[in-house]
Amino acid sequence: MVMGIKGKIRRISGPVVVAEKVSGLEMHELVMVGKDELIGEVVRVEGDSATVQVYEDTVGLKPGEKVLGSGMPLAVELGPGLLMGIFDGVQRPLEVIQRLTGDFIKRGIKTPALPREKEWHFVPKLKEGEVVSGGEIMGTVQETPIFEHRCLVPPDVKGKVVSVAKEGDYTVEDIICQVSSEKGMLELKMYHKWPVREPRPYMERLEPSEPLITGQRIIDTFFPVAKGGAVAIPGGFGTGKTITSHQLAAWSNAEVIVYIGCGERGNEMTEVLLTFPEWKDPKSGRPLMERTVLIANTSNMPVSAREASVYTGITIAEYFRDMGYNVAIMADSTSRWAEALREISGRLEEMPAEEGYPSYLSSRLGEFYERAGRVKTMGGGVGSVTLIGAVSPPGGDFSEPVTVHTKRFVRCFWALDSALASMRHYPAINWLTSYSEYIDYVESWWNRLTSNRWRSQRLKAMEILKREDELKEVIRLVGSEALPEQEKLVLETARLLREGFLQQNAYDPIDTYSSPEKQFVLLDAILNFHDAASAAISKGVPASKIVDMPQLTDLAKLRMAIENERIDEIKKFSEALSAEVKKLTEVKF
Amino acid sequence: MAIQMEFRGVTKISGPLVFVEGISDVGYNELVEIRTSDGDMRRGRVLEVSKGIAVVEVFEGTTGLSTTDTSIKFLGKPLMLPVSDDMLGRVFNGTGEPIDGGPTPFTEDYRDVNGLPMNPFSRDYPNEFIQTGISAIDGMDTLVRGQKLPLFSGSGLPHNLIATQVARQATIPGEETSFAVVFVAMGIKHDEASFFKRSFEESGALKNSSLFLNLADDPPVERLLTPRCALTLAEYLAFERDIHVLVILTDMTNYAEALRETSAAREEVPSRKGYPGYMYSDFASIYERAGRIKGKKGSITQMPVLTMPNDDITHPIPDLTGYITEGQIVIDSDLHRRGIYPPINILPSLSRLMKDGIGKGKTREDHGPVASQLYSAYARSQDLRQLSAIIGEEGLTDKDRAYLRFGDAFEQRFLSQRFDENRDLETTLSLAWEMLSLLPESELTRISDRFVKQYYRPK
């Protein structure tokens, strides 16, 4: 790219600016617009003019003001200082912006993403004379008490190490490694830049093999996602997309979480900022914030930066993947991103496709979701990016373009249901319309934990729930009293499954996180009851006698009453209950 | 940007838009004064600008403008609103000019009405319970200071009554603070506006209120500025004068219609139902101006009112609103027909911030579980009501019949209250327990046993 191309503004319409006399500007090049030097990105080049989407409010811009090329595409800084940070859509730290301009965000702020003055304790891993290539680990920095940051050789570097810094404290701007390469002597720092729209390279893609454990029962047991998978959570407003995303960000067993608040509420980001430092990681007992990167481009912040925010997020996620970590990224909400695309496309006067969305919506979604995956990294390790995209379909209608196109690129679908939400059944994931294609991949992991019974028990519970749905139709016609006794039991077991297993209270200290062991034991307890009751009914016990047993209320509450560490009590409870049910067969009715 | 430029004659007039050629040094979104041949002065803003040509949107409409005798002055700045404490107790038009006969507020402090986005890092999380005195809201969908909680209503429903009842009764129990109401009327009828004015006067709230009125026969383009002017004042009062401000915006449906109208005039590509693709961002630039800031004493709580076209909650206006606001209170025509006031249907209603504003130390420890149990029980009673309409009550079990009794009592005694009835939270919660006591104890699966022991009193 050519440095420092200089032109003038010709036209301004909302966030879209047309510049003239800028021949040589490249697609997706970062440019400075106007006398305040607002950041923008080239989205179209035509002759000697270029169209720029500006990431800040364009009020007051005038034709004739300058447009400056930077000679670089829009890129993010990757290095120590990402974790515990909160950035806007183009990776400007919001904490620094607050110091510079107060409580309201003003325009034209230029500040580096990573702190320049902070010193990190660097431990070298390379030796002089070694031959290195992109993706290898230069050294490590303990970025937070629970996270070791592995400083990587930038992907496009290859050569022989001439010098390496000794163990000690350095800032990100200090040179820590010199490499002699074909391009000459390269000076490497603890951070490097990478363009956001270009996926970071890896050696090869691997099959997913292990589930991402989230501690959420309906997800882990019924609709699991594998590490490196892609999931969509669609749901109308009020169905709990955001709470589900927060729960996943809080409890997933990934080493790094990237959370993108894309065009959502300001107070939600505040909630994350306040609660994550308080919540503790179940494994290490440290605040969850110490493994989290937040990207916040709330709905009232400029729309084009919203478009960039998902790319900023996924690039950061890939960087942590390249260190050999499992990363989970939540994008809440991808619909806002699609709408930003639509808005800019409209300003560019492009031909619209469905509902005004541009015709390239589908290919953009595909490119984005394909950046998830489990890979062998350039450095030889194994890392993964699990991508969880929230979708906000207008009117909760899953046939709208964003949901439909997203479905083509994800293999796991957690459909949120407004009927469940209005009954305050949370998480409001509908068990009849959701699906996961990762069950075959994660089965062996679960089987190791549950002596090969996971899949069959899961299937059995699903069958009971499906049967309940069919019976509901019958009840609508004839009432529940007219059902056969065994069917009445199915209804009761289904209720227990719904209230005692599928429902999960995010605000209950015990219920908010269920270990995989507890999930299975709980499911077992409900299904064991079903078996015992079914046997009793076939010996002539009326279903009503079983349904009225006071212990069933306790069974439905076990999820909140018994901690993950005391699951033996669930087993004991279950055995005692089966014995009680059996006793009923000795009574004459 | 202080240079002011005046031009004579325009090239083209189309709908609310005026095209001016031969201009230079004009900025995007700056304010414009338009003088007609008979000396009438109107205002507008620059929608699009390229070399030598500007597109101007006229707030008061283009009727009577001609291409030759119109002069245009570019003011070099966006629309600015003067703000001061004196604006409480006053009535303004849709662009913030006094219409109550009083003087223009004396101040040097002018603010850009478009505001600036609040830094998410600076926000303080809303978690203080506001008692509205309405059981359906306090008990089931609690309002929290700094929240934006809309009323989703329909034509002919008493949303105005509910909004004024909230404005009159809202308090924080046990706290004496300065409290102001900013009332924003967008495209509402004259008699509705005078109803609000009168009820503010009667309750004595007018001296702590500012009214911004853009009525149904006022220009629609001006309507787009009305909430922005009002929120600019609200931000000044909240974050510079330490006042807790409640902003009532009615009716957002009229605002959205005005947005669609001007978008069509600009010949933009429409998205759903002809509304512009940026309606979400536009709504957000209004709703997101609610909240609290760390270290500041004041706050902005918003209660927008919108009428759902055809009672359809999936219509783009309520739909996009619901995605931005922190919940919604849904007003139901069926309950209204049955004579229940306030006719709030709790099932589709929600307050997202409720969980942080209630519980131990804020309201009462059992508040959360009680609300959750009432929700599920009421949902069940509604299902059973439908079922019993088909198969008759005889086909139901005893337990089911208990649910039916619960459902009726809940609507008649818990939801129902008078327009001037101000229930404190204790009253609301003890009523709630009376309702729950109509159910068998084994049904209270969402409430822990110690609360059941303490409050459950079956007859």
Side-chain angles (χ1 to χ4, degrees):
Chain A
M1 286 189 179
V2 190
M3 284 290 286
I5 289 167
K6 204 168 171 178
K8 283 194 162 80
I9 299 177
R10 185 166 71 207
R11 173 171 168 244
I12 305 136
S13 166
V16 171
V17 166
V18 180
E20 58 182 7
K21 297 190 186 127
V22 286
S23 55
L25 272 192
E26 293 184 9
M27 274 298 273
H28 296 136
E29 180 169 343
L30 190 72
V31 291
M32 267 47 102
V33 177
K35 61 175 178 355
D36 288 340
E37 304 204 335
L38 310 180
I39 310 173
E41 189 181 1
V42 177
V43 291
R44 184 193 281 167
V45 187
E46 236 177 330
D48 76 337
S49 69
T51 308
V52 176
Q53 60 177 16
V54 180
Y55 291 128
E56 295 178 79
D57 193 0
T58 51
V59 171
L61 274 189
K62 292 175 181 176
E65 285 185 30
K66 66 178 178 183
V67 175
L68 281 179
S70 69
M72 277 171 16
L74 178 65
V76 286
E77 292 184 357
L78 302 168
L82 286 169
L83 292 179
M84 301 180 73
I86 175 165
F87 303 95
D88 76 356
V90 287
Q91 215 202 5
R92 285 179 299 193
L94 288 169
E95 195 176 345
V96 177
I97 292 180
Q98 186 204 31
R99 279 206 300 276
L100 293 174
T101 76
D103 297 327
F104 292 89
I105 301 172
K106 297 200 178 73
R107 299 186 301 165
I109 299 163
K110 278 189 242 15
T111 169
L114 300 176
R116 288 297 189 265
E117 68 288 359
K118 186 168 169 126
E119 292 193 332
W120 302 97
H121 190 78
F122 176 78
V123 183
K125 283 270 169 347
L126 291 179
K127 290 195 185 68
E128 280 166 29
E130 264 181 287
V131 175
V132 291
S133 59
E136 281 182 43
I137 298 166
M138 292 192 285
T140 60
V141 161
Q142 197 68 36
E143 187 174 350
T144 68
I146 52 171
F147 189 80
E148 182 191 76
H149 194 111
R150 298 166 186 160
C151 300
L152 300 179
V153 177
D156 46 6
V157 169
K158 198 172 175 148
K160 200 167 159 194
V161 178
V162 177
S163 74
V164 187
K166 289 197 183 65
E167 179 171 345
D169 295 342
Y170 301 93
T171 68
V172 289
E173 285 286 13
D174 291 332
I175 291 153
I176 52 162
C177 181
Q178 285 179 308
V179 174
S180 88
S181 75
E182 288 173 0
K183 291 180 244 169
M185 188 68 88
L186 299 174
E187 298 183 327
L188 306 182
K189 301 172 181 173
M190 268 190 272
Y191 82 103
H192 62 271
K193 289 190 173 189
W194 190 261
V196 296
R197 294 187 198 272
E198 195 178 315
R200 287 175 62 89
Y202 47 80
M203 296 268 256
E204 61 175 316
R205 275 193 183 251
L206 305 171
E207 288 242 304
S209 68
E210 204 181 291
L212 182 80
I213 294 299
T214 65
Q216 311 305 302
R217 288 184 294 268
I218 183 161
I219 291 173
D220 293 347
T221 301
F222 285 108
F223 308 107
V225 57
K227 284 178 179 163
V231 198
I233 323 182
F237 63 84
T239 50
K241 270 187 310 299
T242 301
I243 295 179
T244 310
S245 302
H246 284 189
Q247 285 293 91
L248 295 174
W251 302 117
S252 293
N253 65 346
E255 282 106 4
V256 179
I257 304 287
V258 179
Y259 191 97
I260 314 171
C262 173
E264 290 289 304
R265 305 174 182 93
N267 278 335
E268 278 169 7
M269 295 317 295
T270 313
E271 185 182 5
V272 173
L273 279 173
L274 287 179
T275 51
F276 276 32
E278 282 169 24
W279 289 359
K280 301 285 187 285
D281 176 35
K283 259 188 298 187
S284 63
R286 298 287 311 175
L288 289 166
M289 202 60 203
E290 292 180 353
R291 57 159 196 180
T292 309
V293 184
L294 296 175
I295 316 267
N297 214 86
T298 55
S299 55
N300 54 341
M301 286 157 78
V303 66
S304 24
R306 194 183 303 164
E307 198 267 328
S309 65
V310 296
Y311 293 103
T312 300
I314 192 91
T315 310
I316 292 172
E318 285 176 340
Y319 172 63
F320 285 113
R321 173 202 71 190
D322 291 348
M323 295 180 202
Y325 289 115
N326 294 304
V327 186
I329 173 168
M330 286 91 205
D332 183 15
S333 151
T334 58
S335 292
R336 304 298 161 228
W337 166 52
E339 282 163 8
L341 276 182
R342 174 169 71 185
E343 187 170 336
I344 294 158
S345 163
R347 304 264 187 192
L348 296 174
E349 293 168 359
E350 292 171 337
M351 181 74 91
E354 288 162 280
E355 294 196 17
Y357 286 104
S359 52
Y360 47 78
L361 172 69
S362 165
S363 55
R364 291 282 170 88
L365 282 168
E367 284 161 20
F368 176 61
Y369 280 103
E370 275 304 287
R371 289 177 77 168
R374 185 163 164 268
V375 303
K376 191 166 167 207
T377 65
M378 301 277 283
V382 173
S384 70
V385 172
T386 311
L387 206 171
I388 298 154
V391 183
S392 318
D397 168 18
F398 289 179
S399 67
E400 59 90 39
V402 182
T403 316
V404 169
H405 290 305
T406 301
K407 260 183 143 170
R408 293 165 45 207
F409 305 115
V410 298
R411 299 182 68 190
C412 189
F413 191 73
W414 298 330
L416 295 172
D417 188 326
S418 55
L420 289 174
S422 69
M423 283 188 283
R424 298 302 189 262
H425 174 115
Y426 288 124
I429 296 173
N430 184 317
W431 48 92
L432 298 170
T433 52
S434 301
Y435 61 80
S436 167
E437 293 177 28
Y438 294 111
I439 289 163
D440 293 336
Y441 295 106
V442 303
E443 185 183 355
S444 60
W445 186 92
W446 275 97
N447 278 343
R448 279 200 296 281
L449 194 78
T450 62
S451 50
N452 292 329
R453 293 192 306 125
W454 178 70
R455 192 154 187 166
S456 58
Q457 289 293 74
R458 180 189 170 277
L459 200 64
K460 191 165 161 191
M462 278 306 275
E463 273 166 8
I464 291 172
L465 289 166
K466 268 191 203 130
R467 185 74 191 127
E468 182 200 28
D469 191 57
E470 292 158 11
L471 289 174
K472 270 190 187 154
E473 295 294 316
V474 180
I475 296 170
R476 234 162 256 154
L477 298 172
V478 298
S480 55
E481 283 302 284
L483 291 179
E485 296 295 289
Q486 287 287 3
E487 306 284 35
K488 285 182 189 162
L489 173 67
V490 168
L491 289 182
E492 180 63 12
T493 310
R495 184 188 72 86
L496 289 169
L497 283 171
R498 283 189 282 108
E499 294 183 4
F501 190 82
L502 298 177
Q503 278 185 20
Q504 192 162 353
N505 186 346
Y507 305 109
D508 183 285
I510 296 175
D511 202 26
T512 183
Y513 176 82
S514 249
S515 68
E517 292 83 359
K518 179 176 165 185
Q519 296 186 23
F520 189 72
V521 173
L522 260 183
L523 186 68
D524 233 17
I526 295 169
L527 294 176
N528 286 346
F529 155 78
H530 182 78
D531 290 344
S534 176
I537 287 172
S538 51
K539 283 187 187 149
V541 178
S544 60
K545 292 288 163 206
I546 296 174
V547 170
D548 287 343
M549 288 172 74
Q551 291 95 324
L552 297 190
T553 313
D554 300 331
L555 180 56
K557 286 184 183 177
L558 284 179
R559 62 186 172 96
M560 292 185 275
I562 296 179
E563 293 93 343
N564 292 319
E565 298 76 37
R566 297 171 28 214
I567 53 172
D568 282 344
E569 291 179 31
I570 301 178
K571 289 183 188 156
K572 272 185 220 143
F573 178 94
S574 172
E575 281 158 19
L577 178 62
S578 297
E580 287 289 322
V581 173
K582 208 170 170 201
K583 263 192 216 156
L584 288 174
T585 56
E586 293 152 17
V587 187
K588 276 254 183 293
F589 292 102
Chain B
M1 283 204 286
I3 322 136
Q4 300 186 354
M5 302 240 183
E6 192 152 357
F7 295 88
R8 202 159 175 81
V10 302
T11 314
K12 181 178 149 193
I13 302 169
S14 153
L17 305 184
V18 169
F19 297 75
V20 194
E21 277 186 25
I23 52 121
S24 63
D25 206 32
V26 167
Y28 175 70
N29 216 2
E30 76 177 52
L31 191 66
V32 180
E33 280 180 5
I34 301 122
R35 203 172 288 280
T36 63
S37 52
D38 46 8
D40 190 15
M41 225 269 286
R42 299 183 194 181
R43 292 194 292 174
R45 64 173 165 183
V46 177
L47 272 191
E48 191 177 315
V49 54
S50 31
K51 248 187 177 172
I53 180 159
V55 183
V56 175
E57 182 173 61
V58 185
F59 300 151
E60 290 91 346
T62 48
T63 314
L65 291 188
S66 74
T67 49
T68 48
D69 287 335
T70 305
S71 67
I72 304 256
K73 192 164 151 193
F74 293 93
L75 299 182
K77 56 172 199 252
L79 181 63
M80 309 289 267
L81 182 82
V83 288
S84 82
D85 292 356
D86 305 341
M87 293 174 81
L88 288 174
R90 302 289 307 273
V91 184
F92 304 92
N93 72 3
T95 50
E97 291 162 345
I99 50 167
D100 53 0
T104 311
F106 180 75
T107 173
E108 295 287 288
D109 203 351
Y110 281 74
R111 303 277 165 102
D112 179 354
V113 298
N114 295 303
L116 289 167
M118 204 187 278
N119 190 331
F121 190 78
S122 296
R123 280 183 187 269
D124 200 0
Y125 196 64
N127 58 7
E128 287 170 302
F129 165 68
I130 297 182
Q131 181 177 297
T132 65
I134 298 174
S135 291
I137 298 178
D138 293 350
M140 309 299 291
D141 294 294
T142 313
L143 180 65
V144 175
R145 199 177 253 175
Q147 187 176 16
K148 38 197 183 290
L149 188 64
L151 296 179
F152 282 14
S153 186
S155 304
L157 295 180
H159 44 265
N160 290 342
L161 274 183
I162 298 174
T164 44
Q165 189 171 4
V166 170
R168 197 177 60 235
Q169 296 181 169
T171 50
I172 300 227
E175 193 186 297
E176 286 290 322
T177 44
S178 35
F179 187 77
V181 176
V182 171
F183 176 80
V184 191
M186 290 167 288
I188 64 170
K189 294 186 285 292
H190 280 264
D191 44 354
E192 283 179 282
S194 53
F195 164 79
F196 279 111
K197 241 196 273 183
R198 200 176 58 241
S199 51
F200 281 147
E201 274 165 15
E202 279 166 8
S203 63
L206 191 65
K207 63 176 194 305
N208 283 327
S209 310
S210 279
L211 277 60
F212 289 78
L213 304 180
N214 166 287
L215 302 181
D217 52 357
D218 287 333
V221 182
E222 186 186 290
R223 201 163 296 154
L224 302 182
L225 294 167
T226 312
R228 297 191 162 82
C229 290
L231 286 163
T232 304
L233 175 64
E235 280 173 358
Y236 168 78
L237 294 174
F239 303 129
E240 316 238 326
R241 314 302 304 172
D242 297 342
I243 296 173
H244 292 290
V245 187
L246 174 68
V247 183
I248 295 178
L249 301 139
T250 181
D251 174 330
M252 286 303 290
T253 304
N254 298 332
Y255 173 87
E257 294 302 332
L259 197 66
R260 175 163 68 174
E261 193 179 326
T262 51
S263 164
R266 292 176 203 172
E267 298 178 0
E268 291 168 340
V269 179
S271 67
R272 274 207 306 157
K273 297 207 173 176
Y275 293 97
Y278 51 79
M279 190 155 86
Y280 178 83
S281 305
D282 190 278
F283 275 6
S285 71
I286 294 174
Y287 297 140
E288 280 290 325
R289 288 172 84 173
R292 314 195 48 182
I293 291 181
K294 281 181 226 161
K296 298 271 164 98
K297 288 201 189 105
S299 65
I300 299 179
T301 309
Q302 279 188 17
M303 184 165 271
V305 177
L306 59 88
T307 45
M308 296 183 279
N310 213 6
D311 285 344
D312 176 11
I313 199 167
T314 67
H315 185 281
I317 299 170
D319 191 51
L320 295 181
T321 299
Y323 275 122
I324 306 165
T325 54
E326 281 129 1
Q328 65 277 339
I329 305 284
V330 179
I331 301 173
D332 186 89
S333 54
D334 183 49
L335 287 170
H336 181 60
R337 269 195 294 277
R338 301 209 323 259
I340 291 165
Y341 176 86
I344 293 173
N345 184 353
I346 58 152
L347 295 181
S349 299
L350 170 74
S351 165
R352 289 169 191 271
L353 302 183
M354 175 176 182
K355 60 182 195 319
D356 304 291
I358 62 168
K360 205 174 178 178
K362 287 170 178 159
T363 56
R364 217 169 76 179
E365 215 180 341
D366 58 326
H367 190 163
V370 164
S372 173
Q373 189 71 60
L374 284 173
Y375 260 110
S376 85
Y378 185 66
R380 177 122 183 236
S381 77
Q382 295 301 297
D383 281 350
L384 288 166
R385 193 180 279 172
Q386 280 179 6
L387 184 62
S388 77
I390 302 169
I391 60 168
E393 264 196 47
E394 296 72 41
L396 299 177
T397 61
D398 287 345
K399 204 198 276 173
D400 290 349
R401 279 194 288 271
Y403 270 102
L404 281 184
R405 279 200 305 281
F406 163 86
D408 291 337
F410 182 81
E411 288 173 1
Q412 298 297 337
R413 293 172 48 207
F414 184 83
L415 285 187
S416 270
Q417 65 186 88
R418 291 188 319 278
F419 171 59
D420 55 358
E421 183 178 352
N422 191 349
R423 287 185 192 155
D424 63 14
L425 188 81
E426 279 297 319
T427 315
T428 293
L429 286 181
S430 53
L431 258 175
W433 275 105
E434 259 181 59
M435 303 299 110
L436 290 177
S437 300
L438 296 169
L439 297 172
E441 191 179 339
S442 61
E443 291 300 294
L444 306 185
T445 53
R446 297 190 182 191
I447 305 178
S448 65
D449 294 338
R450 70 195 164 95
F451 297 135
V452 175
K453 273 201 196 78
Q454 197 175 346
Y455 298 108
Y456 181 72
R457 297 284 176 271
K459 290 232 166 71

